[in-house]
Amino acid sequence: MTVLIIGGSGFLGTELVRQAAAAGNRVAATFATRPGDTPGVSWHALDLRDTDRIETVVAETAPRVVVNAASGGTDWAVTAEGPVRVAMAAVRHGSRLVHVSSDAVFSGARATYDESSLPDPLTPYGAAKAAAETGVRLVHPHAVVARTSLIIGDRRSEHVALVHALASGTRSGALFTDDVRCPVHVTDLAAALLELVSHDASGIHHLAGPDAVNRHELGVLIARRDGLDAARLPAGLRARSALPGALDVRLDSRATQSRIHTRLRGARQFLTAQPAAERT
């Protein structure tokens, strides 16, 4: 089976490429700035604003499955419209589609959000991700839309890198005690996404860990795992900052977890101390 990973050189994309190739699939992947280095993978430069280029890449690779793990931040043309272009190409070429979305589509007004919850974003990024979900499902009704939360792993993970920078004093700022999410480990997330493909799933799925932790607590767990001084991590309140967005967003992934074999571990489990060679 040929698997095309959109955004294959990113943090999640790199793990998707690794796992898909290890499973014996023919893997193609796209990059925005530079290709990855996984052996045996065909790499293709791609700008999600370029409809013709998307069509060319999908036609050349002829994938059975397309996994869109690309991230365009607040760029509407990339984050909102790009996934719809990918979905249209996938439909034209008869490819299954998994689109990775985010808990940023929610405002935090509810205690928890399951797969039936309707998006109510507060930020431009959340609005773009919500628009992408709607467009993808309209264009490709059998697609999987997988919402996730903070993705944790090694220092390529944005939050892990921030914790290291704060602990070393090379960056200023604070980790908020009122900003709560349900982190997921990148290896668990990639495995679950690929498992959904094998199950011929469709529709909305939540893929996040079962532990709701605030960002400071998460930082302390990371610091302890990585041998850093957790006492050096400054704490603060997001509610007192000028940063927009939801404070407390908890994805309920129990329905999806009951349908897949991949265990989505909680942060308190996967961030226990382990040898550096075993970290992902």
Side-chain angles (χ1 to χ4, degrees):
M1 178 174 72
T2 299
V3 180
L4 172 62
I5 310 295
I6 306 293
S9 60
F11 179 53
L12 172 59
T14 296
E15 182 62 18
L16 283 164
V17 167
R18 186 191 71 79
Q19 290 193 24
N25 298 295
R26 177 176 173 267
V27 180
T30 74
F31 64 93
T33 55
R34 62 180 181 273
D37 55 8
T38 304
V41 175
S42 63
W43 289 94
H44 305 263
L46 183 64
D47 183 335
L48 287 181
R49 294 168 293 189
D50 188 337
T51 301
D52 291 339
R53 179 60 183 163
I54 293 172
E55 174 67 24
T56 297
V57 170
V58 175
E60 288 179 354
T61 57
R64 176 71 182 87
V65 174
V66 178
V67 182
N68 181 14
S71 176
T74 59
D75 187 327
W76 187 270
V78 176
T79 301
E81 298 172 358
V84 179
R85 299 184 185 100
V86 171
M88 293 172 66
V91 167
R92 282 193 293 269
H93 293 274
S95 304
R96 296 201 60 225
L97 175 64
V98 177
H99 171 70
V100 180
S101 190
S102 166
D103 59 10
V105 302
F106 296 122
S107 70
R110 297 177 54 173
T112 59
Y113 292 87
D114 63 17
E115 286 86 346
S116 67
S117 301
L118 297 178
D120 59 341
L122 295 178
T123 64
Y125 173 70
K129 296 297 283 187
E133 288 188 4
T134 300
V136 165
R137 297 188 72 195
L138 178 64
V139 170
H140 199 315
H142 299 294
V144 168
V145 171
R147 296 178 183 137
T148 192
S149 190
L150 295 179
I151 308 174
I152 306 299
D154 63 12
R155 290 181 69 176
R156 292 191 68 200
S157 165
E158 180 179 342
H159 195 81
V160 175
L162 173 61
V163 170
H164 277 254
L166 290 172
S168 67
T170 59
R171 181 169 172 178
S172 62
L175 297 175
F176 299 126
T177 57
D178 59 346
D179 190 331
V180 179
R181 297 295 186 272
C182 294
V184 64
H185 198 278
V186 66
T187 59
D188 298 348
L189 177 57
L193 289 166
L194 294 172
E195 186 179 346
L196 286 173
V197 170
S198 68
H199 284 189
D200 201 29
S202 63
I204 300 288
H205 294 270
H206 285 184
L207 297 174
D211 294 345
V213 297
N214 66 57
R215 291 188 187 244
H216 187 266
E217 181 183 3
L218 180 61
V220 169
L221 290 170
I222 292 169
R224 290 173 178 169
R225 181 197 68 175
D226 294 352
L228 306 174
D229 183 0
R232 292 179 59 85
L233 299 176
L237 292 174
R238 183 168 180 169
R240 294 179 180 174
S241 76
L243 294 175
L247 291 179
D248 190 334
V249 179
R250 309 181 188 208
L251 291 187
D252 182 348
S253 303
R254 289 177 295 177
T256 297
Q257 179 69 91
S258 70
R259 300 186 186 105
I260 61 177
H261 295 294
T262 301
R263 185 180 178 193
L264 300 168
R265 295 169 293 166
R268 295 184 185 92
Q269 180 183 3
F270 66 70
L271 285 173
T272 54
Q274 55 184 300
E278 295 179 9
R279 298 177 196 156
T280 300

